[in-house]
Amino acid sequence: MHEEVAAYVLGVLDEEDLEAFERHLDTCPSCQEELKDLTALPGQLDELKHPSASEDDPPMSMSR
């Protein structure tokens, strides 16, 4: 995996690196394929941070 693909998907590249990677992406089928595979990653990470509660699940208790 090309490290810049993941950084690009997560939006953590600075402007200079972003522009350089986008130029590279235009000519690299391997990175284009990796990008397709990783496009859902930010949404999946958000879901892990903020899982949607199912209506059937009881509320989580903070006390023990």
Side-chain angles (χ1 to χ4, degrees):
M1 177 188 287
H2 210 255
E3 289 179 21
E4 283 82 4
V5 176
Y8 180 80
V9 169
L10 294 173
V12 297
L13 294 175
D14 63 31
E15 187 173 337
E16 183 179 332
D17 289 337
L18 175 67
E19 291 173 5
F21 180 73
E22 287 180 338
R23 284 190 303 275
H24 168 79
L25 189 60
D26 287 339
T27 62
C28 183
S30 176
C31 285
Q32 292 169 15
E33 191 62 34
E34 286 182 40
L35 182 60
K36 288 179 191 175
D37 292 342
L38 292 177
T39 54
L41 185 60
Q44 291 169 341
L45 292 173
D46 283 342
E47 182 64 27
L48 288 174
K49 288 193 303 189
H50 309 286
S52 57
S54 170
E55 292 178 18
D56 297 330
D57 292 340
M60 292 176 46
S61 173
M62 296 300 285
S63 62
R64 291 186 176 216

